[in-house]
Amino acid sequence: MDNIEVFDSPGKGRGLRATKELLSGDVLFSEPPFAAVVFDSLADKICHSCFRRQDKLQRCGQCKFAQYCDKTCQSAGWKEHKLECGAIKAFGAIGDNFGKAPNENIRLAARIMWRLDKEGGVMSDMQMTSLDDLENHISDMPEDDLKELKVDIHNFLDYWPRNSKQHRVDDISHIFGVINCNGFTVSDQRGLNAVGVGLFPNLCLVNHDCWPNCTVILNHGNQSAVNTVYHSQMRIELRALGKIEPGEEVTVSYVDFLNVTEDRQRQLKMHYFFDCTCEHCKGHIKDDLKMGGKEVDGVKTHTHWIPSLNQTSHSPPLSSQVIKICRECMEKQEPVLADTHIYQLRMWSTASEVSAYLQFIDEAADYARKMVDGYNKLYHPCNAHLGMATMRAGVTHWQAGKIEVGHGMICKAYAILQRTHGPTHPITKDLEAMRMQTEMELRMFRENEYIYKSMREAALKNQPMNMMNEPMAESVKNLFRRQKK
């Protein structure tokens, strides 16, 4: 924690500021979770210890709820699961709860309370705040949220073992409030999908800015070694997006900058209970680009109607309907909306993903290129969303056989993710391997375009591609060697 210190941020309460000069990609601090749990909807698909997605998981023989990669992960997670195991089993035997486990907020609150009872509110000298000092904003909650809170507390009391230390309702309410406004989404090992929620006390001190100087990434650590001595904890890493001067406040963005100022402020007020006064909000910076061009009747309705890919990815007929509607909307939108208009960008994003799923790869690549061109004009040049979108666009162009554009995008994505995710993150390593392979393919392409394309077609016939598959460079390279012989 030598890089940062706690201070009173004007108008924001406590915050963190740099104590020395920091450069882009520097890690300001890393922090393991105080506690974390898998989402209810993914409880049987994600390891409850390492939070990795696995095809086959081993279920806890006692509670029948927790799932693990193997015995190694089960042993690593036993410290947190030990008390939880019996509580889940007992909860599932109660009347209406028969065969069920409590929801993710209740499970997370219980894990936090058990740890507080055992170790206290401050785990080490590296923890800069206690959970008691964190804001819960219960007094700011709307009536509907308060009703849900009361239901959660009622179920928590049913779940909490009678032989564990009993707590006042106010203390339990405080923990639920802290989770509500400070819970951090935990992603899978590739960083592509949210799979759980956790509480990271030091991270709670980092204030918001719509144009931040830092980003947060989850590092899953290493729990695969047979010997637990070589395990490393899952942790978040706070990384600098650019140069930070000593004394400068450290900030992250709680919401996506792609939204216009009014929408960002509404989200922040609803979920985090404050009014943003950052420079980009006060000046409505880039709102003119995000809403550029003329709107026509029906455009906003259509773009909000389009479902996300995860609703359609396993339903080809519905996906076909979605891409048809996308094409109809774009036919109306493209002549009148700017290429940075957020409705246009959302449409291109959806159209690119659905087209790739339907194997309309050339069409998907065209939409992805337009989307990334727009993102480049709106996002911070080191924004993680921009890096991920550029990576997907590069992969799509590679799949479409557009090796020059694809390699360029993959290189740009790699440069961004090196800073936002770090060189050891799994997705950065995958991207580095892809960058090296597309570089090799590009050399082959420039040496003899006709032979490269012929061999590529032959390779793809033997191994069809899906979205985000690794390159077939080895197959193409082997064919290229045989051709040269």
Side-chain angles (χ1 to χ4, degrees):
M1 296 298 176
D2 294 340
N3 296 326
I4 52 174
E5 65 182 3
V6 180
F7 80 116
D8 290 326
S9 179
K12 298 180 180 180
R14 290 186 302 166
L16 298 180
R17 64 185 175 192
T19 57
K20 61 182 181 182
E21 182 180 273
L22 299 162
L23 302 178
S24 180
D26 283 352
V27 178
L28 280 71
F29 71 80
S30 63
E31 179 184 20
F34 195 93
V37 295
V38 173
F39 285 146
D40 301 336
S41 58
L42 298 172
D44 61 344
K45 300 178 179 65
I46 303 296
C47 176
H48 289 219
S49 177
C50 70
F51 288 78
R52 287 174 166 82
R53 187 183 295 271
Q54 301 286 1
D55 293 332
K56 293 182 179 181
L57 293 167
Q58 298 179 13
R59 189 170 62 175
C60 173
Q62 294 297 315
C63 67
K64 312 294 184 185
F65 175 74
Q67 308 270 345
Y68 300 99
C69 298
D70 49 33
K71 292 292 184 182
T72 303
C73 274
Q74 187 170 12
S75 297
W78 179 243
K79 181 180 178 181
E80 286 190 298
H81 184 59
K82 183 178 180 179
L83 293 171
E84 175 187 71
C85 185
I88 290 175
K89 187 176 180 180
F91 182 83
I94 300 174
D96 294 339
N97 300 325
F98 187 77
K100 298 179 181 178
N103 69 38
E104 59 221 29
N105 283 346
I106 295 172
R107 289 186 286 115
L108 179 57
R111 283 194 169 195
I112 292 171
M113 299 293 277
W114 276 315
R115 190 166 183 188
L116 285 171
D117 290 345
K118 183 179 180 181
E119 303 178 36
V122 178
M123 299 297 104
S124 69
D125 294 339
M126 304 296 284
Q127 188 175 321
M128 295 181 288
T129 182
S130 69
L131 269 61
D132 288 340
D133 291 334
L134 294 176
E135 294 285 347
N136 60 46
H137 289 289
I138 290 176
S139 60
D140 299 315
M141 286 184 179
E143 186 176 347
D144 288 345
D145 288 352
L146 285 173
K147 288 180 180 178
E148 291 183 11
L149 174 63
K150 290 178 181 178
V151 172
D152 277 347
I153 292 173
H154 174 79
N155 289 330
F156 176 90
L157 293 172
D158 284 343
Y159 174 60
W160 189 252
R162 297 293 178 263
N163 59 350
S164 290
K165 179 182 176 181
Q166 299 304 300
H167 295 273
R168 296 183 306 130
V169 171
D170 286 349
D171 294 334
I172 299 170
S173 299
H174 174 72
I175 294 299
F176 275 103
V178 168
I179 292 171
N180 181 60
C181 56
N182 288 290
F184 180 78
T185 300
V186 175
S187 61
D188 61 11
Q189 67 267 36
R190 296 290 180 229
L192 299 175
N193 298 291
V195 299
V197 60
L199 187 65
F200 300 80
N202 290 342
L203 182 61
C204 298
L205 294 174
V206 182
N207 286 319
H208 163 83
D209 194 292
C210 291
W211 196 260
N213 54 18
C214 291
T215 190
V216 184
I217 194 67
L218 186 74
N219 187 320
H220 277 261
N222 173 28
Q223 291 181 304
S224 61
V226 175
N227 190 336
T228 56
V229 171
Y230 298 106
H231 288 187
S232 58
Q233 284 184 296
M234 179 176 70
R235 61 196 182 277
I236 57 97
E237 294 176 347
L238 186 70
R239 291 180 168 270
L241 293 176
K243 186 177 179 180
I244 301 175
E245 299 290 348
E248 183 179 348
E249 181 168 13
V250 170
T251 58
V252 296
S253 182
Y254 297 176
V255 295
D256 188 357
F257 182 70
L258 200 62
N259 297 303
V260 294
T261 299
E262 182 182 353
D263 289 342
R264 293 198 310 273
Q265 292 195 326
R266 182 168 54 250
Q267 291 174 28
L268 290 167
K269 188 68 172 179
M270 182 184 302
H271 298 293
Y272 302 99
F273 310 103
F274 70 88
D275 297 308
C276 184
T277 57
C278 75
E279 293 301 318
H280 278 68
C281 280
K282 288 192 292 187
H284 293 266
I285 296 174
K286 298 200 177 185
D287 280 3
D288 56 335
L289 294 176
K290 295 174 188 176
M291 301 302 292
K294 299 178 181 178
E295 293 192 17
V296 294
D297 291 341
V299 168
K300 186 171 183 179
T301 303
H302 279 317
T303 53
H304 282 186
W305 179 88
I306 296 297
S308 61
L309 181 62
N310 61 11
Q311 294 173 291
T312 63
S313 60
H314 300 294
S315 177
L318 185 55
S319 295
S320 298
Q321 293 172 24
V322 171
I323 196 62
K324 179 181 177 182
I325 295 171
C326 284
R327 289 166 180 163
E328 291 173 355
C329 289
M330 287 184 290
E331 186 178 354
K332 295 178 181 179
Q333 288 179 191
E334 291 188 357
V336 293
L337 299 186
D339 61 2
T340 53
H341 196 294
I342 56 176
Y343 298 152
Q344 188 79 281
L345 295 173
R346 289 168 184 166
M347 186 63 67
W348 284 331
S349 176
T350 300
S352 175
E353 291 189 39
V354 178
S355 296
Y357 169 73
L358 294 172
Q359 293 296 295
F360 303 150
I361 303 300
D362 287 332
E363 190 174 350
D366 184 53
Y367 297 143
R369 177 187 55 77
K370 292 177 179 179
M371 176 188 69
V372 170
D373 286 347
Y375 283 2
N376 277 315
K377 297 173 184 176
L378 297 176
Y379 276 126
H380 186 289
C382 284
N383 185 282
H385 290 302
L386 174 62
M388 298 295 286
T390 306
M391 177 188 72
R392 289 189 174 98
V395 171
T396 307
H397 278 78
W398 173 83
Q399 291 176 336
K402 301 175 181 179
I403 186 64
E404 291 179 299
V405 177
H407 177 67
M409 286 183 168
I410 287 170
C411 287
K412 181 172 182 179
Y414 180 68
I416 295 172
L417 296 185
Q418 274 268 71
R419 298 175 180 182
T420 60
H421 289 60
T424 62
H425 194 280
I427 204 163
T428 311
K429 289 182 176 180
D430 287 350
L431 198 52
E432 181 180 20
M434 187 173 289
R435 179 180 63 86
M436 294 172 65
Q437 292 198 32
T438 54
E439 183 177 355
M440 180 273 296
E441 289 190 23
L442 183 58
R443 287 198 300 268
M444 293 163 56
F445 172 81
R446 288 172 174 169
E447 184 176 335
N448 193 315
E449 180 178 349
Y450 174 77
I451 292 177
Y452 169 77
K453 288 184 175 180
S454 299
M455 292 186 297
R456 178 183 172 82
E457 289 177 6
L460 296 182
K461 285 180 181 178
N462 296 326
Q463 193 171 4
M465 291 177 295
N466 292 313
M467 184 63 177
M468 294 304 295
N469 274 358
E470 292 185 3
M472 307 300 169
E474 287 301 319
S475 301
V476 176
K477 182 166 64 176
N478 291 335
L479 284 169
F480 184 72
R481 287 170 177 166
R482 288 197 290 271
Q483 183 71 26
K484 288 181 75 173
K485 290 179 181 178

